[in-house]
C-alpha cells in the first residue's frame, strides 16, 4: 500500500491517493486537485468525500 498526500484549495484540505493492489482510491479531492490526481492515478476505483 502506498499513500500520497497533498493540501488542496484555499483551505488547504488534504487530498489523499491510496494505492492498493493496482487500484487507486481518491480521498477528499479539493479545488485544484484534478491535475495532481490525473498525474498520480492509473486505475481509479472510488472517490471518497469526507468534507461536506
Amino acid at each position: 500500500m502506498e499513500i500520497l498526500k497533498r493540501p488542496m484549495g484555499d483551505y488547504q484540505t488534504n487530498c489523499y491517493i491510496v494505492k492498493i493492489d493496482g487500484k487507486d482510491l481518491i480521498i477528499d479531492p479539493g479545488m485544484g486537485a484534478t491535475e495532481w490526481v490525473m498525474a498520480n492515478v492509473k486505475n481509479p476505483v472510488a472517490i471518497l468525500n469526507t468534507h461536506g
Side-chain angles (χ1 to χ4, degrees):
M1 175 172 31
E2 179 182 4
I3 300 173
L4 306 174
K5 178 183 87 166
R6 182 177 242 189
M8 296 289 173
D10 292 338
Y11 296 110
Q12 295 292 286
T13 57
N14 289 321
C15 174
Y16 297 91
I17 297 171
V18 180
K19 297 173 173 277
I20 303 171
D21 297 329
K23 299 174 185 167
D24 302 322
L25 305 173
I26 304 158
I27 304 170
D28 293 331
M31 297 294 293
T34 304
E35 185 176 322
W36 181 70
V37 168
M38 295 293 288
N40 289 286
V41 169
K42 300 278 190 267
N43 184 24
V45 295
I47 298 173
L48 307 173
N49 291 305
T50 65
H51 301 279

